[in-house]
Amino acid sequence: MTDIVFIVTDIEADGPYPEENSMLSIASVAVDAAGNTLGHFSANLKEREEAKQDPGTLQWRGRNADAWSKLQEDRREPRECFTSWCDWVLGHNGVKVFAAHPLSFDGHWVDWNIQHFLGRRLFERPRKPGISAGNGLDIISLLMGKLGWSYRECRRENYRDAWLGNIPHDHSALSDARGYAHLLGLLLTRDRAELLSM
């Protein structure tokens, strides 16, 4: 049986739309099917010259000054960053499956950027392989299935700290990716009663 490696990813941006705004940070944690961490990737990015910053996002960022200042450190050119990220993902043995919380946000951002800068796609297309096998894994959907919760219940403020490995959700991509990687590991290895008893 082929091993699966989940690439749990979180991104930070200066707006809601990759077509208009810039990704500022990306972090991924590789997790195997037993919930073991295999490594991580993290980078801050320079803004795209043609992009604009969203005023509402900047206002929110202003209330999170520590997270914003971390995004300004050691920034890399996007093309170089995404080349390194793709190499890191594909360097893992086994079937790579992109995972995020939620998949619709982080997956869209990563797919758009690697297509824009590298001409590659995150998800498979007919007769065209992607960086990730299939269409990725939405951690929220997995949590809904495991616990029987509604979509609206699957919000970070409703989670036990232990589900996120007691890692602060501070809107730095690496911290958030580590927390969601821990949650995914639990969802893959624990039953409903165990999760709710934590």
Side-chain angles (χ1 to χ4, degrees):
M1 182 176 180
T2 304
D3 291 333
I4 294 178
V5 178
F6 296 98
I7 307 298
V8 181
T9 302
D10 187 84
I11 72 99
E12 301 295 329
D14 62 6
Y17 307 115
E19 302 85 353
E20 300 176 10
N21 312 123
S22 294
M23 185 188 297
L24 301 178
S25 186
I26 182 172
S28 297
V29 177
V31 177
D32 68 16
N36 300 308
T37 298
L38 306 175
H40 73 271
F41 178 96
S42 179
N44 291 334
L45 291 77
K46 295 179 180 178
E47 294 92 345
R48 295 185 0 256
E49 289 184 11
E50 71 277 17
K52 58 185 178 182
Q53 296 179 323
D54 174 67
T57 303
L58 293 181
Q59 186 178 35
W60 177 85
R61 290 266 177 218
R63 296 191 301 270
N64 295 271
D66 288 344
W68 179 255
S69 66
K70 289 178 184 176
L71 294 173
Q72 309 308 308
E73 299 172 359
D74 302 319
R75 299 190 304 162
R76 297 163 67 176
E77 293 292 341
R79 186 181 307 277
E80 184 270 328
C81 173
F82 292 115
T83 298
S84 297
W85 182 83
C86 289
D87 290 345
W88 177 82
V89 172
L90 295 173
H92 289 88
N93 294 323
V95 176
K96 276 68 74 174
V97 176
F98 185 91
H101 182 294
L103 178 65
S104 59
F105 179 78
D106 300 280
H108 179 54
W109 271 92
V110 174
D111 182 56
W112 191 92
N113 275 278
I114 63 174
Q115 184 180 9
H116 179 78
F117 288 106
L118 306 179
R120 305 179 78 169
R121 297 303 296 261
L122 177 59
F123 302 117
E124 293 177 351
R125 298 292 186 271
R127 296 175 298 283
K128 291 186 178 180
I131 300 298
S132 168
N135 294 311
L137 175 69
D138 180 47
I139 296 172
I140 294 175
S141 297
L142 188 60
L143 186 63
M144 288 171 63
K146 180 75 76 166
L147 297 183
W149 285 10
S150 71
Y151 184 82
R152 293 192 179 278
E153 288 177 293
C154 295
R155 300 172 62 85
R156 184 182 44 79
E157 54 265 27
N158 293 332
Y159 301 167
R160 278 74 162 169
D161 290 342
W163 291 1
L164 298 173
N166 297 303
I167 299 167
H169 191 89
D170 60 5
H171 300 289
S172 68
L174 185 55
S175 292
D176 296 357
R178 284 178 167 152
Y180 290 135
H182 187 83
L183 175 59
L184 177 59
L186 293 177
L187 291 170
L188 293 171
T189 60
R190 307 291 179 91
D191 63 26
R192 182 178 188 274
E194 289 177 298
L195 284 168
L196 292 176
S197 68
M198 295 180 76

